[in-house]
Amino acid sequence: MCAYNAIDGAPACANTMLLRDHLREAWHFDGYVVSDCAAVADVDTGHHYAPDMAHAAAAALKAGPIWNAAIARGKPFLRSSKRYSSNW
């Protein structure tokens, strides 16, 4: 599960260095990373790392990809993954 805090200026749930470079590539983790219920929304609302929820979800997917634990938060998360996945 990714966290609410930031590491080196990037929220943990949207942190490419943490989730991709270390977790996936260096440690060869091939399982699922899950966000806490509002952790992806916090990328936008708490950290102001993304301009809106769609960009926060896209940043989390680009870094992870991760699964959002909240059903209500999951709908915009999944929509944005389709919308922004072509930009990666």
Side-chain angles (χ1 to χ4, degrees), residues 45-56:
T45 61
H47 293 280
H48 307 289
Y49 187 77
D52 54 35
M53 180 57 191
H55 284 87

Side-chain angles (χ1 to χ4, degrees), residues 54 57-58 61-62 78-88:
L61 284 170
K62 184 178 179 183
L78 292 175
R79 279 197 309 268
S80 67
S81 68
K82 293 176 186 173
R83 183 175 174 192
Y84 293 100
S85 62
S86 64
N87 294 332
W88 307 343

Side-chain angles (χ1 to χ4, degrees), residues 3-87:
Y4 284 93
N5 61 313
I7 300 168
D8 291 338
C13 286
N15 192 312
T16 303
M17 180 268 303
L18 177 67
L19 296 175
R20 188 188 64 209
D21 299 348
H22 290 298
L23 186 65
R24 301 279 183 200
E25 293 176 7
W27 297 347
H28 306 290
F29 179 77
D30 64 354
Y32 295 104
V33 176
V34 179
S35 75
D36 200 356
C37 292
V40 173
D42 191 52
V43 171
D44 166 30
T45 61
H47 293 280
H48 307 289
Y49 187 77
D52 54 35
M53 180 57 191
H55 284 87
L61 284 170
K62 184 178 179 183
I66 67 168
W67 291 90
N68 193 306
I71 299 299
R73 298 277 186 213
K75 290 179 183 175
F77 183 83
L78 292 175
R79 279 197 309 268
S80 67
S81 68
K82 293 176 186 173
R83 183 175 174 192
Y84 293 100
S85 62
S86 64
N87 294 332

